[in-house]
Amino acid sequence: MQQRPLGRTDLRVSRICLGTMTFGEQNTEAEAHEQLDRAVERGVNFLDAAELYPIPPKAETQGRTEAYIASWLRARGNRDRMVIATKVVGRSTSTWFRADGSEPRLDRRNVIEAVEGSLKRLGIDCIDLYQIHWPDRPTTGFGSVPTRWKTPDPVLDEVAIEETADVFQDLVRDGKIRHAGLSNESAWGTMRWLTLADAGRAPRMASIQNAYNLLNRTFETAQAEIAVREGVGLLAYSPLAQGYLTGKYAGGALPAGSRKALFDRLQRYEKHGTAEAVDAYVALAREFGLAPATFANAFVLAQDFVTASIIGATTMAQLDECLAAEDVAWTAEMQDAVDGVHQRVGNPAP
């Protein structure tokens, strides 16, 4: 599998990253290990987790994902060949993440507790890429404002980026983390972090993990140029729009065992116009003789601002369809066809 530099670091990562948020909820430990083995067999060396996982987040399962990765690393003895990424939660009202039951923030106490917890659960001495899952400040992330900017209500006790940056500097210095990354961040937030890094006040962000798929190409508007010019490549999550781009929910279908059937948490990809857009992209994939999941993942891999596409699956068949994107020779004809649909449907599910 092709590898790409992780930002301006000395790490090289497979251009497909295995997302693990189903481990511990929809996937058992044995199933998680099976997925990990298959991904590595296909050349994947990059794993993405979070202290939040598995999804949906809840107190009784929190941390299982990292624990399942740890048991696999111990069993296979391959820690030195893997690039392990995980995340600290941003500002949240969920109080089960911290030992004292307080609401998580991105201040020193919270970040230190979070990183120590992840290191223990993962069974490793150093995290290769430690990411801020979402900012402390109010933002319009997670598709909350789909069509326009709306200034969020201010929060008087917002933790400044500068304060979080100080903690991350210390984590790098102390060898707890090798590199830092962002997630669900805006163009402004990314540049603010880079400005602090240039002034020697923050580690340089190596990547940004935001949603990017055929239904949501908003990253291209402002952040793609930052990714290329500043070496902060995109780790694209939700390349299948939480499964919608496979076509499995077409016509109102609700497959047994699907994420929608189990949790009904897919509203981000159920906005006005998304059904028509999905139908168009699924039809396009079939015109090119590809499974819709493979086609959608291949589109993400083909974009030059993408460092890696974070795939996720609950079955081995799904995993294989996603991994097959590595073998697709993305053509100008495919890109033109996708862009033609995009001109008509836009970004219905940002």
Side-chain angles (χ1 to χ4, degrees), residues 205-243:
M205 290 297 167
S207 57
I208 177 168
Q209 184 177 149
N210 281 19
Y212 181 72
N213 53 60
L214 289 167
L215 303 181
N216 176 11
R217 295 173 61 174
T218 55
F219 190 88
E220 297 174 15
T221 304
Q223 292 176 293
E225 183 175 13
I226 296 172
V228 173
R229 292 185 181 273
E230 298 291 339
V232 186
L234 174 63
L235 306 181
Y237 77 76
S238 205
L240 297 182
Q242 294 188 359

Side-chain angles (χ1 to χ4, degrees), residues 238-250 259 266 269 278 282 293:
S238 205
L240 297 182
Q242 294 188 359
Y244 269 89
L245 286 166
T246 67
K248 67 183 179 182
Y249 297 121
R259 196 182 312 176
L266 308 191
Y269 296 101
V278 168
V282 168

Side-chain angles (χ1 to χ4, degrees), residues 182-203:
L182 299 170
S183 182
N184 297 295
E185 185 55 276
S186 68
W188 178 85
T190 304
M191 289 308 301
R192 184 65 191 145
W193 273 97
L194 291 173
T195 298
L196 291 172
D198 289 342
R201 298 176 59 193

Side-chain angles (χ1 to χ4, degrees), residues 14-348:
S14 53
R15 66 174 187 156
I16 292 178
C17 172
L18 183 61
T20 61
M21 72 180 190
T22 62
F23 295 1
E25 180 64 52
Q26 290 175 270
N27 288 113
T28 65
E29 188 170 19
E31 290 169 341
H33 287 197
E34 185 181 20
Q35 283 197 32
L36 288 159
D37 286 340
R38 178 67 58 82
V40 169
E41 177 186 300
R42 290 295 305 273
V44 170
N45 75 336
F46 193 15
L47 308 179
D48 180 67
E51 67 166 337
L52 178 80
Y53 296 164
I55 294 293
K58 49 190 178 183
E60 55 267 36
T61 59
Q62 187 262 321
R64 278 187 192 168
T65 297
E66 291 178 324
Y68 286 8
I69 292 171
S71 63
W72 177 78
L73 290 172
R74 287 194 300 272
R76 304 298 180 266
N78 60 355
R79 167 66 184 103
D80 60 332
R81 300 192 295 277
M82 305 304 298
V83 177
I84 308 296
T86 194
K87 313 179 196 74
V88 53
V89 299
R91 186 187 190 95
S92 174
T93 58
S94 299
T95 59
W96 63 78
F97 291 101
R98 302 293 169 253
D100 65 356
S102 61
E103 295 183 353
R105 307 295 305 281
L106 287 173
D107 58 17
R108 178 171 293 275
R109 180 184 66 83
N110 276 273
V111 174
I112 294 296
E113 183 177 338
V115 76
E116 293 291 352
S118 285
L119 285 167
K120 182 177 180 180
R121 286 188 295 272
L122 287 165
I124 60 179
D125 298 322
C126 179
I127 295 165
D128 297 311
L129 178 66
Y130 197 51
Q131 303 157 103
I132 296 171
H133 209 152
W134 62 86
D136 191 280
R137 68 186 191 280
T139 66
T140 57
F142 296 106
S144 57
V145 181
T147 57
R148 65 183 177 88
W149 167 261
K150 179 181 178 182
T151 302
D153 294 333
V155 175
L156 297 180
D157 62 344
E158 174 184 308
V159 176
I161 289 175
E162 290 82 354
E163 181 176 345
T164 308
D166 285 342
V167 188
F168 271 67
Q169 285 273 67
D170 291 346
L171 292 176
V172 173
R173 180 202 64 200
D174 296 342
K176 302 291 186 182
I177 68 174
R178 294 180 69 181
H179 304 290
L182 299 170
S183 182
N184 297 295
E185 185 55 276
S186 68
W188 178 85
T190 304
M191 289 308 301
R192 184 65 191 145
W193 273 97
L194 291 173
T195 298
L196 291 172
D198 289 342
R201 298 176 59 193
R204 198 170 209 287
M205 290 297 167
S207 57
I208 177 168
Q209 184 177 149
N210 281 19
Y212 181 72
N213 53 60
L214 289 167
L215 303 181
N216 176 11
R217 295 173 61 174
T218 55
F219 190 88
E220 297 174 15
T221 304
Q223 292 176 293
E225 183 175 13
I226 296 172
V228 173
R229 292 185 181 273
E230 298 291 339
V232 186
L234 174 63
L235 306 181
Y237 77 76
S238 205
L240 297 182
Q242 294 188 359
Y244 269 89
L245 286 166
T246 67
K248 67 183 179 182
Y249 297 121
L254 190 61
S258 66
R259 196 182 312 176
K260 180 174 174 58
L262 291 172
F263 311 123
D264 193 24
R265 287 171 47 89
L266 308 191
Q267 287 77 18
R268 181 173 185 171
Y269 296 101
E270 295 177 341
K271 297 183 173 69
H272 179 73
T274 54
E276 295 84 354
V278 168
D279 288 346
Y281 288 120
V282 168
L284 199 59
R286 289 174 175 149
E287 287 177 22
F288 283 103
L290 293 171
T294 304
F295 184 81
N297 274 290
F299 159 75
V300 173
L301 293 178
Q303 310 312 309
D304 64 357
F305 49 83
V306 172
T307 296
S309 177
I310 303 174
I311 65 171
T314 55
T315 70
M316 295 301 288
Q318 291 172 347
L319 180 62
D320 287 338
E321 280 196 346
C322 292
L323 289 168
E326 165 67 13
D327 301 322
V328 174
W330 190 257
T331 65
E333 182 185 6
M334 290 175 173
Q335 188 67 45
D336 287 345
V338 162
D339 289 344
V341 174
H342 180 65
Q343 286 294 310
R344 298 196 306 272
V345 304
N347 295 303

